[in-house]
mmCIF file of all heavy atoms in Angstrom:
data_model
loop_
_atom_site.group_PDB
_atom_site.id
_atom_site.type_symbol
_atom_site.label_atom_id
_atom_site.label_comp_id
_atom_site.label_asym_id
_atom_site.label_seq_id
_atom_site.Cartn_x
_atom_site.Cartn_y
_atom_site.Cartn_z
ATOM 1 N N VAL A 25 -50.277 -2.430 8.821
ATOM 2 C CA VAL A 25 -49.126 -3.351 8.711
ATOM 3 C C VAL A 25 -49.236 -4.493 9.648
ATOM 4 O O VAL A 25 -49.958 -4.396 10.732
ATOM 5 C CB VAL A 25 -47.777 -2.549 9.085
ATOM 6 C CG1 VAL A 25 -47.611 -1.394 8.003
ATOM 7 C CG2 VAL A 25 -47.748 -2.009 10.432
ATOM 8 N N ALA A 26 -48.553 -5.615 9.320
ATOM 9 C CA ALA A 26 -48.533 -6.745 10.111
ATOM 10 C C ALA A 26 -47.297 -7.542 9.770
ATOM 11 O O ALA A 26 -46.610 -7.248 8.728
ATOM 12 C CB ALA A 26 -49.767 -7.643 9.854
ATOM 13 N N GLY A 27 -47.004 -8.679 10.424
ATOM 14 C CA GLY A 27 -45.870 -9.401 10.105
ATOM 15 C C GLY A 27 -45.737 -10.611 11.017
ATOM 16 O O GLY A 27 -46.134 -10.597 12.188
ATOM 17 N N SER A 28 -45.176 -11.673 10.449
ATOM 18 C CA SER A 28 -44.971 -12.896 11.295
ATOM 19 C C SER A 28 -44.018 -12.516 12.473
ATOM 20 O O SER A 28 -43.052 -11.955 12.261
ATOM 21 C CB SER A 28 -44.245 -13.988 10.442
ATOM 22 O OG SER A 28 -43.947 -15.119 11.138
ATOM 23 N N GLY A 29 -44.515 -12.899 13.641
ATOM 24 C CA GLY A 29 -43.688 -12.540 14.849
ATOM 25 C C GLY A 29 -44.110 -11.234 15.528
ATOM 26 O O GLY A 29 -43.634 -10.846 16.544
ATOM 27 N N ASN A 30 -45.040 -10.511 14.767
ATOM 28 C CA ASN A 30 -45.621 -9.292 15.439
ATOM 29 C C ASN A 30 -46.913 -9.631 16.067
ATOM 30 O O ASN A 30 -47.823 -10.179 15.507
ATOM 31 C CB ASN A 30 -45.836 -8.237 14.310
ATOM 32 C CG ASN A 30 -46.065 -6.861 14.898
ATOM 33 O OD1 ASN A 30 -46.572 -6.701 15.911
ATOM 34 N ND2 ASN A 30 -45.533 -5.840 14.141
ATOM 35 N N PRO A 31 -47.048 -9.250 17.350
ATOM 36 C CA PRO A 31 -48.280 -9.643 18.148
ATOM 37 C C PRO A 31 -49.504 -8.815 17.739
ATOM 38 O O PRO A 31 -50.598 -9.132 18.256
ATOM 39 C CB PRO A 31 -47.878 -9.442 19.556
ATOM 40 C CG PRO A 31 -46.778 -8.355 19.516
ATOM 41 C CD PRO A 31 -46.050 -8.606 18.259
ATOM 42 N N ASN A 32 -49.282 -7.813 16.906
ATOM 43 C CA ASN A 32 -50.388 -6.913 16.647
ATOM 44 C C ASN A 32 -50.528 -6.597 15.162
ATOM 45 O O ASN A 32 -49.506 -6.691 14.453
ATOM 46 C CB ASN A 32 -50.261 -5.569 17.333
ATOM 47 C CG ASN A 32 -50.169 -5.721 18.848
ATOM 48 O OD1 ASN A 32 -51.187 -6.137 19.456
ATOM 49 N ND2 ASN A 32 -49.016 -5.412 19.442
ATOM 50 N N ILE A 33 -51.672 -6.249 14.674
ATOM 51 C CA ILE A 33 -51.853 -5.489 13.446
ATOM 52 C C ILE A 33 -51.976 -4.066 13.796
ATOM 53 O O ILE A 33 -52.621 -3.640 14.751
ATOM 54 C CB ILE A 33 -53.127 -5.995 12.699
ATOM 55 C CG1 ILE A 33 -53.016 -7.400 12.301
ATOM 56 C CG2 ILE A 33 -53.454 -5.138 11.475
ATOM 57 C CD1 ILE A 33 -54.260 -8.125 11.859
ATOM 58 N N LEU A 34 -51.260 -3.149 13.052
ATOM 59 C CA LEU A 34 -51.076 -1.832 13.454
ATOM 60 C C LEU A 34 -51.499 -0.824 12.315
ATOM 61 O O LEU A 34 -51.296 -1.074 11.134
ATOM 62 C CB LEU A 34 -49.644 -1.522 13.800
ATOM 63 C CG LEU A 34 -48.989 -2.417 14.894
ATOM 64 C CD1 LEU A 34 -47.446 -2.283 14.774
ATOM 65 C CD2 LEU A 34 -49.537 -2.029 16.279
ATOM 66 N N LEU A 35 -52.074 0.303 12.730
ATOM 67 C CA LEU A 35 -52.304 1.413 11.788
ATOM 68 C C LEU A 35 -51.365 2.540 12.145
ATOM 69 O O LEU A 35 -51.332 2.967 13.262
ATOM 70 C CB LEU A 35 -53.802 1.915 11.902
ATOM 71 C CG LEU A 35 -54.059 3.040 10.904
ATOM 72 C CD1 LEU A 35 -54.256 2.469 9.542
ATOM 73 C CD2 LEU A 35 -55.342 3.792 11.361
ATOM 74 N N LEU A 36 -50.559 2.870 11.143
ATOM 75 C CA LEU A 36 -49.476 3.899 11.295
ATOM 76 C C LEU A 36 -49.868 5.093 10.506
ATOM 77 O O LEU A 36 -50.333 5.009 9.389
ATOM 78 C CB LEU A 36 -48.126 3.385 10.797
ATOM 79 C CG LEU A 36 -47.638 1.993 11.281
ATOM 80 C CD1 LEU A 36 -46.332 1.629 10.767
ATOM 81 C CD2 LEU A 36 -47.588 2.028 12.819
ATOM 82 N N ASP A 37 -49.566 6.195 11.040
ATOM 83 C CA ASP A 37 -49.621 7.516 10.272
ATOM 84 C C ASP A 37 -48.376 7.655 9.429
ATOM 85 O O ASP A 37 -47.275 7.577 10.016
ATOM 86 C CB ASP A 37 -49.805 8.732 11.235
ATOM 87 C CG ASP A 37 -49.906 10.053 10.411
ATOM 88 O OD1 ASP A 37 -50.974 10.308 10.027
ATOM 89 O OD2 ASP A 37 -48.826 10.713 10.300
ATOM 90 N N LYS A 38 -48.553 7.832 8.130
ATOM 91 C CA LYS A 38 -47.317 7.884 7.282
ATOM 92 C C LYS A 38 -46.494 9.023 7.574
ATOM 93 O O LYS A 38 -45.220 8.953 7.510
ATOM 94 C CB LYS A 38 -47.864 7.899 5.783
ATOM 95 C CG LYS A 38 -46.728 8.192 4.772
ATOM 96 C CD LYS A 38 -45.835 6.980 4.487
ATOM 97 C CE LYS A 38 -44.796 7.249 3.437
ATOM 98 N NZ LYS A 38 -45.216 7.750 2.216
ATOM 99 N N GLN A 39 -47.092 10.125 7.935
ATOM 100 C CA GLN A 39 -46.259 11.410 8.049
ATOM 101 C C GLN A 39 -45.414 11.366 9.343
ATOM 102 O O GLN A 39 -44.324 11.768 9.362
ATOM 103 C CB GLN A 39 -47.266 12.590 8.069
ATOM 104 C CG GLN A 39 -46.518 13.914 8.170
ATOM 105 C CD GLN A 39 -47.433 15.080 7.982
ATOM 106 O OE1 GLN A 39 -48.655 14.928 8.187
ATOM 107 N NE2 GLN A 39 -46.994 16.252 7.698
ATOM 108 N N THR A 40 -46.028 10.848 10.439
ATOM 109 C CA THR A 40 -45.386 10.900 11.718
ATOM 110 C C THR A 40 -44.719 9.504 12.139
ATOM 111 O O THR A 40 -43.840 9.467 13.044
ATOM 112 C CB THR A 40 -46.303 11.272 12.828
ATOM 113 O OG1 THR A 40 -47.333 10.251 12.985
ATOM 114 C CG2 THR A 40 -46.922 12.706 12.559
ATOM 115 N N GLY A 41 -45.210 8.424 11.554
ATOM 116 C CA GLY A 41 -44.814 7.123 11.903
ATOM 117 C C GLY A 41 -45.324 6.618 13.176
ATOM 118 O O GLY A 41 -45.116 5.479 13.640
ATOM 119 N N LYS A 42 -46.349 7.358 13.759
ATOM 120 C CA LYS A 42 -46.939 7.021 15.071
ATOM 121 C C LYS A 42 -48.010 5.880 14.822
ATOM 122 O O LYS A 42 -48.755 5.910 13.844
ATOM 123 C CB LYS A 42 -47.582 8.218 15.644
ATOM 124 C CG LYS A 42 -46.572 9.363 15.971
ATOM 125 C CD LYS A 42 -45.518 8.932 17.024
ATOM 126 C CE LYS A 42 -44.705 10.143 17.379
ATOM 127 N NZ LYS A 42 -43.578 9.741 18.364
ATOM 128 N N VAL A 43 -48.124 5.059 15.878
ATOM 129 C CA VAL A 43 -49.164 4.014 15.974
ATOM 130 C C VAL A 43 -50.492 4.648 16.326
ATOM 131 O O VAL A 43 -50.520 5.275 17.407
ATOM 132 C CB VAL A 43 -48.788 2.869 16.822
ATOM 133 C CG1 VAL A 43 -49.964 1.842 16.944
ATOM 134 C CG2 VAL A 43 -47.495 2.182 16.416
ATOM 135 N N GLU A 44 -51.515 4.637 15.570
ATOM 136 C CA GLU A 44 -52.880 5.174 15.863
ATOM 137 C C GLU A 44 -53.853 4.169 16.322
ATOM 138 O O GLU A 44 -54.829 4.500 16.935
ATOM 139 C CB GLU A 44 -53.291 5.940 14.689
ATOM 140 C CG GLU A 44 -52.515 7.157 14.222
ATOM 141 C CD GLU A 44 -53.222 8.018 13.201
ATOM 142 O OE1 GLU A 44 -54.169 7.481 12.538
ATOM 143 O OE2 GLU A 44 -52.830 9.163 13.011
ATOM 144 N N TRP A 45 -53.610 2.908 15.991
ATOM 145 C CA TRP A 45 -54.539 1.826 16.303
ATOM 146 C C TRP A 45 -53.827 0.532 16.320
ATOM 147 O O TRP A 45 -52.863 0.269 15.498
ATOM 148 C CB TRP A 45 -55.578 1.872 15.271
ATOM 149 C CG TRP A 45 -56.683 0.814 15.383
ATOM 150 C CD1 TRP A 45 -57.883 0.788 16.083
ATOM 151 C CD2 TRP A 45 -56.742 -0.481 14.738
ATOM 152 N NE1 TRP A 45 -58.614 -0.328 15.882
ATOM 153 C CE2 TRP A 45 -57.845 -1.125 15.031
ATOM 154 C CE3 TRP A 45 -55.750 -1.159 13.803
ATOM 155 C CZ2 TRP A 45 -58.168 -2.412 14.545
ATOM 156 C CZ3 TRP A 45 -56.030 -2.360 13.364
ATOM 157 C CH2 TRP A 45 -57.279 -2.990 13.746
ATOM 158 N N GLN A 46 -54.252 -0.517 17.105
ATOM 159 C CA GLN A 46 -53.671 -1.812 17.068
ATOM 160 C C GLN A 46 -54.722 -2.819 17.411
ATOM 161 O O GLN A 46 -55.596 -2.604 18.198
ATOM 162 C CB GLN A 46 -52.405 -1.961 17.875
ATOM 163 C CG GLN A 46 -52.633 -1.737 19.355
ATOM 164 C CD GLN A 46 -51.305 -1.846 20.131
ATOM 165 O OE1 GLN A 46 -50.286 -1.356 19.627
ATOM 166 N NE2 GLN A 46 -51.315 -2.460 21.239
#
Side-chain angles (χ1 to χ4, degrees):
V25 301
S28 179
N30 194 324
N32 300 296
I33 295 169
L34 305 162
L35 182 74
L36 310 177
D37 181 83
K38 170 78 182 301
Q39 187 174 15
T40 65
K42 299 296 184 183
V43 176
E44 293 190 345
W45 175 90
Q46 63 183 38

